[in-house]
Amino acid sequence: MANEQSSSTTAPALPPSRPRYGRAVNIALRTAHIGVTGVLCGGHVFDVPPESLKIWLAWTILTGGLLAVVEAYPRVHWLYQGRGLFVLAKLALLCLIPWLWAYRVAILAAVILLGGVGSHMPARFRYYSVLHGRMLDGHKPPGGSFPA
């Protein structure tokens, strides 16, 4: 009886995982988003009439919003990590374009800048949770605690 183990011990709970085709959906949405954003930016730079560009703005916002949903599911903490905050900032800027039409090219340039930086910034910033004050998703800051 000394070596008797309790039957009540359970394995640690696994974090929720993405749906079976989650990666494929993410790649498809990301590709569509890059495509419609390219058309939108080019149209604004080359001064295409607003009536022709509003549908591309809508598609850019829609694909970006859907990407945010796919990224946040099933781990909602993505939204308050650096990576999610960058995406929410980009979506907010895109939503301002109809009201700040005269500044649309500058806003789109800022969106592209945020996208490039947000996608390639170090993990210590991408996975840093502003609510928890630390990195999440099992990422640990290199060489000690954040910020380095």
Side-chain angles (χ1 to χ4, degrees):
M1 288 208 172
N3 290 336
E4 188 177 297
Q5 290 186 358
S6 170
S7 61
S8 65
T9 58
T10 59
L14 295 174
S17 61
R18 285 191 175 194
R20 183 175 182 183
Y21 299 106
R23 181 143 173 86
V25 169
N26 185 303
I27 291 168
L29 277 172
R30 190 169 305 278
T31 301
H33 185 65
I34 291 169
V36 297
T37 302
V39 172
L40 176 67
C41 289
H44 283 289
V45 168
F46 293 108
D47 210 19
V48 171
E51 301 76 36
S52 299
L53 293 175
K54 288 185 179 170
I55 188 68
W56 295 103
L57 175 61
W59 277 110
T60 300
I61 293 169
L62 178 67
T63 56
L66 288 172
L67 266 172
V69 169
V70 167
E71 287 288 340
Y73 181 81
R75 297 176 191 100
V76 179
H77 63 261
W78 176 88
L79 290 169
Y80 46 84
Q81 288 179 313
R83 56 192 178 154
L85 294 173
F86 267 65
V87 169
L88 294 175
K90 292 187 318 181
L91 281 169
L93 285 171
L94 287 171
C95 289
L96 288 176
I97 289 175
W99 291 277
L100 299 172
W101 194 258
Y103 303 100
R104 65 195 184 278
V105 174
I107 292 170
L108 287 167
V111 168
I112 291 170
L113 181 69
L114 283 172
V117 171
S119 294
H120 298 93
M121 66 183 166
R124 69 180 183 183
F125 299 116
R126 286 180 54 76
Y127 297 99
Y128 183 79
S129 166
V130 295
L131 292 183
H132 294 91
R134 62 181 171 85
M135 291 175 64
L136 299 180
D137 286 348
H139 289 79
K140 294 184 174 86
S145 62
F146 181 83

